[in-house]
Amino acid sequence: MLRCHARRGVSVVAVQVALLASSGAVSAQSSDTALPPVTVEAPQATRPKPIARPTRQRSVVASRPTRPVAGNVSASAPTQNKRATAGAARDGLNQAPAGQTATTIDRSQFDNRPAFSVSDVLRDSPGISIKQGNGPRDFGISIRGSNARNGFGIRNLVIFDDGFPVTQPDGLSRSDLIDPHAYGAIDVIRGPSSALYGNYATGGALNFRTRPGGSIDGVEYGVDGGSYGYLNNYLAAGKKVGNFEGSLFASDTRGDGYIGNSWFNTQTVNFLGTLKATPGDRFTVKIINNDLSARLPIRSSLNQYYQNPFQQGCATGVSAAVGCGTVTLNNNGFNATTGTDKETAVQAGLGRNDRRTIVGGRWEHDFDNTTIWRNQFVFDDRSISQPTGATSAIGDFPSYNFMSDVTKRGEILGLESTGFFGAFYNTLTASSDTRNVMPGGNATLGWLSSNLYSETTNYGVRAREELKLTSSLTAIAGIGWETTLLKGINTAYAYAGSTGITTTTLTSADRQFQNAAPEVALLYNLNNEWLFRGRVATGYGTPQVSNLFVLPTGLSGNNTQLQTQKNLGYDLGFDWTPNNTLKLSATGFYEFFRNEIVSQATPINGISYTFNAPRSEHRGIELAADWKFHPGWRLMAAYTYLDEVYTEYVENITNGAVFSFNRAGNKIPGISPNELTARVGYDEFAGPLAGLGGFVEFQWKDSFYMDNANLLKAPGYELVNVNVHYKTDLVSDTFRSLNLFLEVRNVFDRTYVASANNIANTITVAGLQNPASVLANTTGSIYAGSPRAFVAGMKVAFK
């Protein structure tokens, strides 16, 4: 039975309705879900396509080779050699920049399934790996293994929503606010990209594109429901009226969860509106709000996972079944002088109560038919209350992000060119507390464990030039320069005696980092079938202020020696499109890291320790295919091979004395070497069964190491999902269409590891590394994936 944990959903829906009402009078956001060719209104002159953060949604690109971006096949540039008009140039702002190794996931790939989270859609891109995070829609997203070595959230890539940044200045992104039903397409940009996206883009970038109001052209209501009390009610509304185009999405999602203590209740609102105030001025507004109330299980050890993967029978620590995770809480909330109590997640009331609010505005001005100036401002506030273990993180993290850039199209020595120059500034200042959790349930807060005052500021400039050397060959060069300022004061509190005599320890940091990131790329269109691409690019990512004050034990201390991680990457690949039924893409890459930032679990649940590995190498292959091999039939596949190793890293482990271990040649933990998503489907397009379809999907993730010594592996898995769907147009003055779908996930009910955080190696007093049998008891690592689940859905479109 579904538990309804009603919280702020009513007020969120009220905001949505109010925004919808206000959008009825207006419209001009040029975007498209299926990325079709553009019909252009301006007849003669051409306007530039800004190269930096994308802002629109069509796929025509000015003055460079173009290749249609379809399905899940990588495309660095589309196929036609044609000059774009001013309108077409503006409409092409929101696709991946030329020269990048990129994939566009179109809505048609997930519109006929109950897409609950980013995990359901991003697997269609090669290079992507997903692991369950701390919440229902909280996932660790990796591009080429970028986030696999991180303990929580999303790092080492930059995320945008309609070109507005949703990665905060400290480099943290979270996917809680992403409901796939809201989006028309997702761009996955792979490989080091700091020349264009700045700090933290060592792995690449993601841009989620909401559906434009004109394509919705009315109201759509949908509902998904299924196993473990899952229910998602969502609404999309949009219209294009005169010079304004607006779209609004809202959803209310809740469920009991399949692991003990994992119920959730979350509401999301996403609004995009664009007003064409004059022929040369466009104003865009973006609003996102997400409220989350969820309970969290305790991450298991590998042995606990095998014993009790779904944490059943874990009501209390005293009566807990075998394999239940527990936390040790101090009875007086500050030290162990009055005793401790071992409690389960249910008993302690562990969970998250978070809010995320993003408000952004953009002004685009055309100086003439060759020059566009853009200014964008974003306010992003993250408010958290997260009792995830023996402590609770509490704080508010408001940030401000401003960017301005100019793009100009023209000629250099008679060659068509598109030049870009921009500057940016973003900052985040916060004061956050870590408080002890007391026994008694409902995550009762005890005394203060630590306070962190932090300031993070990034500012810099970036430039880029695209030059069409011949009708078939395009060269791209870019560079970014950035200064990052990190300031922090961490105050750790210790208590003695039954009355709690307080001792404070202050650790401060004032760090400044300067980084530059050049890149060059070549695109060669051999003919209409073959596109070859090569790229050399760099990335960088500074530590987060909070990383500077956590020791390997999980306690507060001095870790301020952390350095910027940097990577240099080489990409070589091709796209082959021999006809309209077959698209193949292949990319090989080799990346060299210095001071790679790696995180691992600590003995304190929910707390990660961060360190630099001096040198490492990442190499791999990415393959994608989209083959319509027979009328109505379609095969899609995305495969990634990763081989990532330390080439210089000596790890020091303390047990009385300090012992050193050389990790050179070892695999970087958390990296699965092989991942594959493949789908075979059929859709009937004519006759009495028109609109009926289905597919079978196969997912494979290989086993991977969990520790630096490569002693313990998390098991791999294979999953099969089956989907049946039906869509029909309705003959009615009110209704436009009806979609129905049923999906069975994990058909064979496999028990598998959905997430495994890296764990620390330990040693004996004699300095010998403990074997895998000991490491398998290290807690704070694993969440199991969902057992077999049934999900059905319905969506009705109104005129």
Side-chain angles (χ1 to χ4, degrees), residues 584-597:
L584 295 176
S585 174
T587 302
F589 67 88
Y590 208 123
E591 299 176 6
F592 298 87
F593 274 78
R594 296 197 65 178
N595 294 319
E596 181 171 8
I597 295 176

Side-chain angles (χ1 to χ4, degrees), residues 456-641:
T456 302
T457 300
N458 304 284
Y459 60 86
V461 294
R462 53 177 67 106
R464 187 176 173 91
E465 183 70 37
E466 298 178 14
L467 194 62
K468 193 171 182 181
L469 302 177
T470 70
S471 60
S472 300
L473 183 64
T474 300
I476 301 99
I479 189 169
W481 172 87
E482 184 169 359
T483 292
T484 298
L485 305 176
L486 302 181
K487 296 181 180 180
I489 301 175
N490 187 79
T491 305
Y493 295 84
Y495 306 97
S498 59
T499 59
I501 300 173
T502 306
T503 302
T504 59
T505 303
L506 271 68
T507 307
S508 62
D510 189 350
R511 304 287 303 280
Q512 176 174 312
F513 304 91
Q514 290 190 342
N515 294 291
E519 68 169 303
V520 294
L522 286 175
L523 299 175
Y524 178 60
N525 261 334
L526 178 64
N527 50 43
N528 288 333
E529 296 183 6
W530 290 93
L531 172 67
F532 295 93
R533 41 192 166 74
R535 180 171 181 260
V536 182
T538 53
Y540 56 85
T542 59
Q544 186 182 9
V545 174
S546 61
N547 299 153
L548 305 178
F549 303 108
V550 179
L551 300 176
T553 59
L555 299 175
S556 295
N558 191 333
N559 194 30
T560 58
Q561 79 287 345
L562 286 174
Q563 300 296 316
T564 298
Q565 66 175 356
K566 300 180 180 181
N567 63 331
L568 168 66
Y570 300 85
D571 280 29
L572 190 63
F574 67 85
D575 303 318
W576 181 46
T577 312
N579 51 54
N580 291 330
T581 64
L582 178 62
K583 303 178 185 70
L584 295 176
S585 174
T587 302
F589 67 88
Y590 208 123
E591 299 176 6
F592 298 87
F593 274 78
R594 296 197 65 178
N595 294 319
E596 181 171 8
I597 295 176
V598 182
S599 296
Q600 64 189 25
T602 69
I604 300 178
N605 190 65
I607 303 296
S608 296
Y609 165 69
T610 303
F611 61 92
N612 288 118
R615 293 181 185 272
S616 55
E617 296 180 5
H618 301 191
R619 52 244 178 176
I621 298 172
E622 300 163 335
L623 303 175
D626 186 351
W627 183 24
K628 299 173 184 177
F629 57 91
H630 194 270
W633 289 91
R634 186 179 188 182
L635 169 66
M636 303 181 72
Y639 169 75
T640 305
Y641 168 73

Side-chain angles (χ1 to χ4, degrees), residues 96-110:
Q100 301 281 151
T101 302
T103 297
T104 293
I105 301 171
D106 185 75
R107 184 178 178 86
S108 64
Q109 296 171 234
F110 56 87

Side-chain angles (χ1 to χ4, degrees), residues 266-323:
T266 181
Q267 292 78 38
T268 300
V269 172
N270 195 322
F271 171 77
L272 180 70
T274 301
L275 172 66
K276 185 177 181 181
T278 72
D281 293 280
R282 296 162 301 282
F283 296 91
T284 301
V285 174
K286 162 66 72 172
I287 300 174
I288 306 174
N289 190 83
N290 173 256
D291 288 284
L292 170 65
S293 179
R295 291 295 178 262
L296 288 181
I298 296 170
R299 288 182 175 268
S300 303
S301 68
L302 185 60
N303 281 341
Q304 288 174 325
Y305 160 77
Y306 286 128
Q307 295 165 342
N308 192 352
F310 306 114
Q311 295 293 285
Q312 300 301 298
C314 301
T316 67
V318 174
S319 62
V322 174

